[in-house]
Amino acid sequence: MNLDLTISRRGRSPIFAQLRDQLRYFILIGQLEPGRRLPSVRELAGFLRIDVNTVVKAYRALEAEGYIISRQGQGTFVAEGPAPEAPARRDEFRRLVAEATHRASALGYSPQQFASAVLGYGSFRSGSGCAREGDLVFVECNLPDIDFYRTELSRGLGREVRGILLADLKETGSGALEFCRRARMVLTTFFHVKEVTRLVGLGASVLAILSTPQFSSLTRIGQVPAGTRVGLICATAEGVGLMEKSITDAGFGGLISSRASLEDPEAVRGTVRAIDLAVVSTAAMIAARVFIPAGLPVIEFADRVDPATVEMVRGMIGDE
C-alpha cells in the first residue's frame, strides 16, 4: 500500500473511526481517486494488524456516506464523483486543510479535536446532517470535553456518538437544535442537563452522564509531599471546580494553591509559573502542554464515564 495510514491503539478515538477518517481524507484530497480499487478487508486488516471486523465497520461507514462502493465479486472501489477534479483545486484544498489544522494547533487544539469540531459543525449545517432515528448526541460547552466524552461514550456503547457545542444549540438558524430534537437521545453533563432540556424541549430524551475520577489519579495526588504547590488546570472553570471538589473530597484539598482554565490563557500562564506540580484534566491535557514549561511535573487527572451510566444508556436504546 502507498497510503500513509496510521493507527493509534493508545488514542481515544476508536480504531474504526481513525481508519474511516483517514480514508475519507485521502478520497477528498484526491490521493484515492474515483474508481480506484481499495484493498480487501483481509488485506487491509493484515497490513494494519487490526481486526477484520474493524475494517468492515470503517468500509460500511464510508459506503453509507457515499465515498466508496462495493461490487459483488469485484471488490471495494472509490465512488465516482460528479466530475474529475482539477489538480489546482485539489491542491488548494490540501493547503486549506494544512493551514486550518496549523491554526487550530496554535490555539492548543489537537488535529483530532479539530477534526471532531469540523465534523460536528458540518453535520447539522449541511443537507446531509439530519439526525436519523437511533442517533446519539453529546452536548457540552467546550471542544476538549466534547472530544473526551464523545470518544468514551462511543467506545463504551459500541456505536458512534456525535458531538455538538452548547453555543451552537443556542444559535438561531444553526440547525443544531433541530438536529438534537430528531436524535434518539441527547446526552450531556449534570452541569448542563437543565439548560439542554429547556432548549431541546420536553419531547426529547435528555440524559445526564456521570463521570468519576480514576482511583490512580487520586492515589498519585495523595503521594505528593506536603508543602508542594499544586495547580489545577482544566478546559473550563466549571471543570476546575469539579476537579477541586473531587480532590478535596478525597482529603487532599490542602495541596491546591492555584487554579486556571483554558478559557483564560493568561491565568494558565500565571499558574504554571507559580506551582511545583500541575494536575491537568485528560480533556485539557493536549492543549495545556502548550503552556507547561519543560521540567514541570504533571499528573493527569483522568476521568472516566461511569460504567453504570453507560449500561443504563445501553439499556434505554436497546440493540437498535
Side-chain angles (χ1 to χ4, degrees):
M1 281 188 65
N2 59 354
L3 291 178
D4 186 19
L5 294 170
T6 303
I7 298 299
S8 172
R9 288 170 173 78
R10 294 184 177 181
R12 297 207 305 269
S13 181
I15 291 177
F16 94 89
Q18 296 179 44
L19 178 59
R20 176 202 62 198
D21 294 346
Q22 290 178 68
L23 288 173
R24 185 197 292 121
Y25 171 74
F26 287 131
I27 292 171
L28 287 171
I29 67 173
Q31 193 165 337
L32 283 173
E33 64 276 5
R36 177 171 171 176
R37 186 181 184 277
L38 296 178
S40 71
V41 167
R42 294 192 178 278
E43 288 172 343
L44 190 53
F47 176 77
L48 296 174
R49 297 182 180 180
I50 60 178
D51 189 80
V52 170
N53 291 329
T54 301
V55 180
V56 170
K57 191 172 182 179
Y59 273 12
R60 284 178 177 171
L62 289 169
E63 187 165 15
E65 294 174 4
Y67 288 102
I68 64 176
I69 184 170
S70 298
R71 296 173 183 160
Q72 187 69 30
Q74 299 181 48
T76 304
F77 300 82
V78 177
E80 296 288 345
E85 188 170 28
R89 184 169 181 264
R90 188 167 61 239
D91 291 342
E92 179 63 24
F93 179 72
R94 290 179 181 176
R95 284 193 292 271
L96 174 64
V97 171
E99 179 184 353
T101 304
H102 176 75
R103 292 183 64 183
S105 178
L107 292 171
Y109 294 105
S110 70
Q112 292 78 16
Q113 290 172 335
F114 176 63
S116 294
V118 171
L119 287 172
Y121 182 87
S123 66
F124 54 79
R125 277 174 165 77
S126 66
S128 61
C130 295
R132 302 177 300 275
E133 184 178 356
D135 275 352
L136 301 178
V137 178
F138 180 78
V139 178
E140 243 296 334
C141 64
N142 65 90
L143 292 176
D145 280 344
I146 284 180
D147 184 57
F148 169 74
Y149 280 101
R150 186 189 64 78
T151 303
E152 289 293 303
L153 288 166
S154 295
R155 181 183 292 119
L157 294 170
R159 57 191 298 168
E160 187 167 9
V161 177
R162 309 177 79 166
I164 288 181
L165 278 167
L166 182 60
D168 288 326
L169 203 61
K170 298 176 181 178
E171 182 183 337
T172 303
S174 72
L177 190 58
E178 185 61 27
F179 187 93
C180 286
R181 286 173 174 168
R182 290 177 179 271
R184 172 68 178 85
M185 183 177 291
V186 179
L187 308 171
T188 187
T189 58
F190 274 94
F191 191 85
H192 295 298
V193 65
K194 288 185 178 179
E195 185 174 17
V196 171
T197 301
R198 177 180 59 80
L199 290 168
V200 176
L202 296 177
S205 179
V206 180
L207 182 69
I209 293 298
L210 176 66
S211 65
T212 57
Q214 299 239 3
F215 181 74
S216 58
S217 297
L218 293 174
T219 299
R220 290 187 64 193
I221 294 171
Q223 294 170 347
V224 173
T228 302
R229 297 174 300 172
V230 176
L232 307 184
I233 301 175
C234 201
T236 64
E238 165 206 336
V240 172
L242 294 173
M243 185 195 300
E244 181 169 7
K245 184 179 186 304
S246 295
I247 294 173
T248 301
D249 288 347
F252 310 129
L255 294 168
I256 302 169
S257 65
S258 186
R259 309 146 189 82
S261 77
L262 296 178
E263 296 168 327
D264 187 349
E266 285 305 314
V268 177
R269 292 187 181 96
T271 291
V272 298
R273 288 194 296 264
I275 60 176
D276 305 311
L277 180 145
V279 177
V280 184
S281 69
T282 297
M285 182 63 75
I286 295 175
R289 286 291 182 186
V290 175
F291 303 98
I292 296 174
L296 180 67
V298 175
I299 292 179
E300 179 179 356
F301 193 80
D303 276 336
R304 64 171 185 168
V305 176
D306 180 57
T309 304
V310 174
E311 287 303 316
M312 180 173 64
V313 173
R314 184 181 287 114
M316 292 175 71
I317 63 177
D319 296 323
E320 55 188 41

